[in-house]
Amino acid sequence: MNNTLRVGIIGGGLMGREAASAFGRWFVLDKFPVRAELVAVCDLQESLLDWFRQVPTVRQLTRDHRELLRNPDIDVVYVAVPHNLHEAIYLEVLAAGKDLLAEKPFGMDLAAARKIRAAAAASGRFVRCSSEFPFLPGALRVLQFARSGRLGKLIEVHSCFWHASDLDPTKPVNWKRQVKTCGEIGVMGDLGMHVVHVPFRLGYFPIRVYAQLQKVYTQRPDGKGGMAECDTWDNALLHTDIEVDGREVPVRFETKRLAPGATNTWSIEILGTDGGARFSTAEPKSFWHFERNKEQTWGRTDLGFQAAFPTITGGIFEPGFPDCFLQMWAAYVAERAGVLGDRLGCVTPDEAVRSHELFAAALESHRTRAAVAVPKIT
Ligand SMILES: NC(=O)c1ccc[n+]([C@@H]2O[C@H](COP(=O)([O-])OP(=O)(O)OC[C@H]3O[C@@H](n4cnc5c(N)ncnc54)[C@H](O)[C@@H]3O)[C@@H](O)[C@H]2O)c1
């Protein structure tokens, strides 16, 4: 296959290596029209660059992202660095004439998100933002159900992403726990894109928000024998209203670092008068669907591996995080190549800015303890 997309990664930490894993098994995508190959990696840490030496396609390893961006043999750059670096590095990627898959959030705050979107539009480059859970078979089924017309009148929507490891007060601080590196939006920046992707795709755009934001642990071990400040929001409950067919409908977005027992639990529930659908990564094979007939029934379908982009994996096998991450990359590459069709695409710059409009309004809501209008996207 000579249609090969050459990818560079800036930030080879948790997510940079996850991306390497996706490109390393790209061949599991069945009859996919484009090959994607990881060719260059930038990280500040030598030990991480060493890790990437085992990836045979990688031809450039550097600690300087500008050196990577000068490489003419890179088409697309995936940037997975701390949030305070997003704006500057995303703009540099675009200025270098490369396409971009940005990690979330789309910059540290609303101003940064707007600037990145403007630069993306001016550059003409193909830019999307990361959010992989909607590519799991169960999530796709919820999306499909909501679009099928079987909901009746929409009653309410819950879209949640819960983590639990921060419940341990001995967990050392890292850049995700401090405003200077994670942003004032805190947990919303970390987990928020994951919870808005499906609702936004369904046209569920909040018109107002009442936010409850919590900081529970304000200090953590600094890893050097002392304690460090943790000043980001741990949990955020966003109670929003959307307008559907001239009616207001509640949509609740939950992003939590302190959710007892939840390892990395993404879930969505969409309820209507005639039907409903629910999926949680805590039950990765279960697609729950509600039907109102003479009797009202919640049914459970045992899912297999019904991915949007077919793979060689057997249809009865269970999908997991690396699978939805690969599917998300397949969606990025397919959309860039113009062959996405009616399949779900990655978060667009407009959707990413819309998420920041919501998070900015949520901060204001929490400050004023009042519901705040979410501006229409401009
Ligand atoms: N999509 C997801 O499910 C998901 C999950 C976790 C994190 N993330 C996002 O991915 C991004 C990175 O998070 P992570 O968990 O991988 O963090 P991480 O701390 O594990 O990795 C970040 C890496 O960036 C490197 N880095 C810092 N400054 C750099 C620079 N100037 N040039 C090159 N490299 C630099 C660090 O050395 C580190 O290895 C964040 O935006 C985060 O929100 C996404």
Side-chain angles (χ1 to χ4, degrees):
M1 197 192 302
N2 43 24
N3 191 4
T4 299
L5 183 82
R6 299 155 308 171
V7 181
I9 290 176
I10 301 178
L14 179 72
M15 293 315 292
R17 282 173 293 164
E18 198 58 52
S21 136
F23 301 121
R25 57 193 201 98
W26 196 259
F27 48 76
V28 308
L29 292 166
D30 207 18
K31 302 187 185 68
F32 194 79
V34 184
R35 186 205 299 271
E37 203 170 80
L38 177 61
V39 297
V41 179
C42 167
D43 200 285
L44 302 179
Q45 300 180 52
E46 237 6 279
S47 58
L48 284 171
L49 294 181
D50 276 345
W51 184 90
F52 282 96
R53 285 182 210 285
Q54 67 189 309
V55 181
T57 53
V58 171
R59 299 189 280 274
Q60 183 187 27
L61 289 167
T62 173
R63 295 172 60 174
D64 176 1
H65 70 273
R66 294 192 179 112
E67 194 178 311
L68 182 144
L69 293 177
R70 282 194 294 273
N71 182 344
D73 297 326
I74 296 175
D75 306 302
V76 171
V77 180
Y78 172 60
V79 184
V81 295
H83 301 171
N84 58 317
L85 303 174
H86 284 191
E87 178 183 343
I89 295 186
Y90 294 177
L91 296 179
E92 285 183 71
V93 169
L94 296 170
K98 314 286 189 198
D99 290 340
L100 170 69
L101 181 63
E103 254 309 336
K104 48 77 195 168
F106 208 56
M108 281 253 271
D109 54 25
L110 178 57
R114 286 181 177 152
K115 214 191 253 184
I116 299 161
R117 180 183 57 175
S123 70
R125 305 312 312 178
F126 183 67
V127 177
R128 291 291 180 268
C129 189
S130 169
S131 154
E132 62 278 6
F133 298 99
F135 295 94
L136 284 166
L140 290 174
R141 289 291 286 270
V142 172
L143 193 62
Q144 214 176 43
F145 192 100
R147 284 176 169 161
S148 70
R150 288 151 69 199
L151 287 170
K153 284 176 186 283
L154 187 63
I155 303 173
E156 63 183 90
V157 179
H158 311 133
S159 187
C160 308
F161 197 13
W162 298 339
H163 282 196
S165 62
D166 277 23
L167 283 168
D168 175 2
T170 67
K171 180 179 168 181
V173 73
N174 61 34
W175 63 263
K176 295 174 189 172
R177 307 292 172 267
Q178 295 186 323
V179 168
K180 64 176 193 277
T181 38
C182 178
E184 197 193 347
I185 53 179
V187 69
M188 294 183 279
D190 256 0
L191 308 182
M193 197 71 78
H194 294 296
V195 298
V196 299
H197 188 180
V198 170
F200 283 6
R201 229 11 106 92
L202 288 167
Y204 300 165
F205 303 133
I207 53 172
R208 82 176 68 79
V209 56
Y210 179 75
Q212 292 168 309
L213 311 181
Q214 286 173 287
K215 286 179 194 171
V216 179
Y217 287 123
T218 53
Q219 287 198 320
R220 286 191 177 276
D222 63 5
K224 300 172 207 149
M227 295 298 281
E229 295 303 311
C230 288
D231 52 358
T232 55
W233 299 112
D234 288 320
N235 285 4
L237 294 180
L238 308 189
H239 308 271
T240 75
D241 295 302
I242 62 169
E243 253 170 20
V244 179
D245 301 329
R247 284 183 312 116
E248 290 194 2
V249 175
V251 175
R252 190 171 71 241
F253 298 99
E254 298 188 8
T255 51
K256 298 183 180 180
R257 288 178 182 152
L258 304 172
T263 324
N264 192 51
T265 304
W266 180 97
S267 66
I268 186 151
E269 180 174 50
I270 303 183
L271 302 174
T273 52
D274 296 344
R278 183 197 293 160
F279 170 73
S280 167
T281 57
E283 282 186 285
K285 287 176 62 116
S286 297
F287 168 58
W288 289 94
H289 37 94
F290 169 73
E291 274 173 60
R292 182 177 62 80
N293 294 310
K294 195 158 178 223
E295 288 188 323
Q296 300 185 9
T297 320
W298 274 100
R300 177 184 169 279
T301 302
D302 205 35
L303 295 173
F305 207 95
Q306 294 88 23
F309 295 93
T311 66
I312 52 85
T313 303
I316 59 165
F317 296 151
E318 300 82 12
F321 185 87
D323 300 303
C324 64
F325 202 70
L326 175 62
Q327 289 285 319
M328 174 185 78
W329 266 102
Y332 176 90
V333 175
E335 192 171 5
R336 180 181 182 276
V339 295
L340 184 66
D342 60 2
R343 286 171 288 214
L344 175 69
C346 298
V347 171
T348 64
D350 275 351
E351 289 169 327
V353 170
R354 199 184 279 281
S355 75
H356 275 284
E357 297 277 6
L358 175 62
F359 306 150
L363 290 178
E364 176 62 12
S365 164
H366 187 77
R367 258 192 303 271
T368 57
R369 300 295 194 276
V372 167
V374 182
K376 289 216 164 65
I377 192 161
T378 47

